[in-house]
Structures are given as C-alpha cells and as structure tokens.
C-alpha cells in the first residue's frame, strides 16, 4: 500500500499551513482526501484510487466493505473509468448515502461474500463481478465476466451469487452478461468486439486462435479466428508499438517484427483484418469491416451456403 500521512503528522514534523500548501503546489505532496496526504504526485489511475480507499477506511465502521467499482479496482478488473469516490457497502444499521469522496450503499451482503486484499475489506471476486455485471453497461459487464473467467473464476460461482440475491436491481443484465461471457478474452476491446459480432449476426470466432504452418509450427496467435474462412482478426485497442518495446529495441524494430509475423500468417493462407478501439465500439463499422472480410474469404475459398450478416 502507498504511504499516507495525516495532517497532524505533518504539523508534528514542523510544517505549517503555508509549508503544506507550498508542497501541494510543487508536487512533493498530493492530497488524497481532506486531512490525508501522499508523498507521491497526484494521478488519476488505479493506484491513486486505491490510496483514496486506504485513506477512507479509518473513517468508516470496521464492518463496512469496499464494493462495486472500487472493489473492481482492488481486484484489478477492467472498468470503463474509475469512480470519483470510494464505493462501499454498509453492514451496520443505517441508510445509503452519497458524497464527493465516499458513497455508502445499503445492499444485501452475505458473510461469505467478503474477503480481504491486504488490509482492505472487499467483496469477493465473484460478488464484485456479479455486482459490476448488474450496474455497468452490458459491454463492460461482459468484459468484466470475461476477465474473471480468463483468470480462472468458474462461471457457476458468479451465477450462484446472482441467484443468491433475487431482489437486487440489474439481475437480467447480469444474467445476459454471464450468458455472453467466454474464456480467453485478454482485453476489454476483445470482449466488446466479440459482443458486436453477436449483435450484428457475424459468426462467433475462436478466441486466441493459433495459426499453424504446413510444418505443424505455430507461427502466430490472433485475438480472433474464423478457421472455416481462413480469416484472423486483431483489435489493437489502445496498443502502441512503443509499449511493447524491449530494452534496446526501437519502434522500427517492433514494426518489422510485426510485419514478419504477418507475412508468416499470410503464408499459411490466412487473411488478416485489424481494427482499433474506436471501431470496436462502433458496431455497424465493425460489422461492415469484418463482414466484408468474411465475404471476401468465402468467395476466394469457394465456400457454399449464404453468409448471414
């Protein structure tokens, strides 16, 4: 966990309000919440939200549990965005309340749906996934379920949580997300793309598809594969060549390596279609792109039967 310093400790160390203000301005301190500071620079990312969670825990009842998007951040699940306040479930008598830093919910929670990640009391992975599948847009509910399955969480454990709380809102959405989830997706962009294929009537692809040459050697692995059409698909998401560079490797080296990989894949008779994060979120555009590639391959291979798109 990150180092946190409260206001009293700063004063005891000899700093006054002017000193604290100066350090906040120059970045040597950042305010996590009122009266709590960090020696790390401010950031809008998962670590900064976890600092906010840590700073909030001493101010609530010990029985309170981190939940929903905040629990997703603790468990490292994909989220469309981080919450601006800590999301928790109250387990003592009281009502739900909201604020700029803390949102306390009054939601049914069983004892076996609570765990700890380090010092943080948090809903279990399966309860967190079930909650997020209820409250997030269906695209992100599927992405969260896919991520949990790929991490080894059995689908039945998530479904059991959904069944255990028949009065919670959003259960039809959660059940839909579960029915659409698949093992193997490695990013939200892959999950959202696959959901678009289903929505627009494209054949469902194999995930993490291995391309094998005539020697029986695996020459590549693609996000999606339609073996019947000898078509592979890859979604770049927010990927950049520079993010994959090894020590001493230039962007040009990475580009050439990818071109060699593509040449090996094409040599096996496969066609490659690529798209980015924006296209993944634009169902008609993605359906047209992939649908055109499927029709082209169908004609090139002389396949019979209609391709329903």
């Amino acid at each position: 966990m990150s180092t946190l310093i409260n206001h009293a400790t700063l004063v005891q160390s000899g700093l006054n309000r002017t000193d604290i203000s100066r350090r906040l301005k120059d970045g040597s301190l950042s305010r996590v919440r009122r009266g709590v500071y960090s020696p790390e620079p401010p950031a809008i990312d998962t670590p900064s939200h976890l600092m906010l969670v840590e700073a909030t825990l001493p101010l609530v009842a010990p029985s309170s549990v981190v939940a929903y998007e905040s629990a997703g951040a603790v468990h490292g699940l994909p989220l469309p965005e981080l919450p601006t306040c800590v999301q928790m479930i109250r387990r003592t008598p009281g009502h739900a309340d909201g604020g700029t830093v803390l949102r306390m919910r009054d939601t049914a929670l069983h004892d076996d749906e609570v765990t700890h990640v380090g010092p943080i009391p948090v809903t279990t992975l399966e309860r967190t996934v079930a909650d997020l599948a209820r409250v997030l847009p269906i695209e992100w509910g599927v992405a969260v379920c896919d991520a949990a399955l790929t991490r080894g969480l059995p689908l039945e454990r998530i479904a059991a949580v959904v069944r255990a709380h028949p009065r919670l809102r959003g259960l039809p959405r959660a059940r839909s997300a579960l029915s659409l989830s698949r093992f193997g997706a490695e990013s939200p962009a892959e999950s959202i793309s696959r959901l678009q294929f289903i929505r627009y009537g494209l054949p469902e692809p194999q995930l993490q598809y291995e391309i094998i040459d005539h020697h029986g050697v695996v020459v590549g692995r693609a996000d999606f594969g339609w073996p019947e059409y000898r078509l592979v698909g890859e979604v770049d998401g927010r990927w950049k060549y520079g993010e994959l560079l090894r020590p001493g490797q230039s962007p040009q080296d990475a580009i050439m390596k990818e071109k060699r990989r593509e040449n090996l894949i094409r040599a096996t008779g496969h066609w490659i279609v690529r798209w980015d994060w924006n296209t993944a979120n634009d169902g008609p555009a993605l359906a047209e792109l992939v649908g055109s590639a499927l029709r082209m391959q169908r004609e090139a291979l002389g396949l019979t039967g209609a391709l329903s798109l």
Side-chain angles (χ1 to χ4, degrees), residues 160-175:
V161 173
V162 173
R163 291 194 300 269
H165 297 279
R167 295 185 178 182
L168 293 182
R169 294 180 180 178
L171 293 181
R173 182 184 300 177
R175 286 191 286 266

Side-chain angles (χ1 to χ4, degrees), residues 1 46 49-50 53-54 57 60-77 79 83 86-91 104 107-132 151 157 161:
M1 304 297 288
T46 300
H49 187 70
L50 297 183
V53 169
E54 183 185 2
L57 289 177
V60 300
S63 59
S64 299
V65 178
V66 177
Y68 294 93
E69 288 93 332
S70 291
V74 172
H75 286 295
L77 293 170
L79 297 169
V86 176
Q87 310 259 349
M88 301 190 77
I89 293 177
R90 182 196 304 278
R91 304 194 74 197
M104 189 69 72
T107 308
L109 183 66
H110 297 162
D111 289 342
D112 62 358
E113 295 170 350
V114 179
T115 188
H116 279 77
V117 175
I120 300 176
V122 61
T123 50
T124 59
L125 180 59
E126 54 265 38
R127 173 59 195 259
T128 303
V129 172
D131 283 338
L132 293 176
R151 285 168 55 170
R157 284 174 55 182
V161 173

Side-chain angles (χ1 to χ4, degrees), residues 170-249:
L171 293 181
R173 182 184 300 177
R175 286 191 286 266
S176 293
L178 285 170
S179 69
L180 294 166
S181 62
R182 300 288 186 273
F183 174 86
E186 295 184 344
S187 73
E190 293 178 30
S191 298
I192 293 171
S193 295
R194 186 174 52 76
L195 182 58
Q196 303 286 23
F197 300 152
I198 295 170
R199 281 176 171 168
Y200 289 89
L202 275 69
E204 188 164 346
Q206 293 184 22
L207 305 184
Q208 309 311 318
Y209 177 65
E210 290 188 338
I211 302 96
I212 302 173
D213 68 12
H214 66 281
H215 297 296
V217 177
V218 176
V219 297
R221 187 184 66 153
D223 299 330
F224 306 102
W226 292 266
E228 179 184 0
Y229 299 91
R230 301 195 71 76
L231 178 70
V232 298
E234 297 197 323
V235 53
D236 294 333
R238 295 164 182 166
W239 178 84
K240 297 178 181 178
Y241 282 108
E243 295 174 359
L244 300 181
L245 296 182
R246 296 178 179 178
Q249 188 181 39

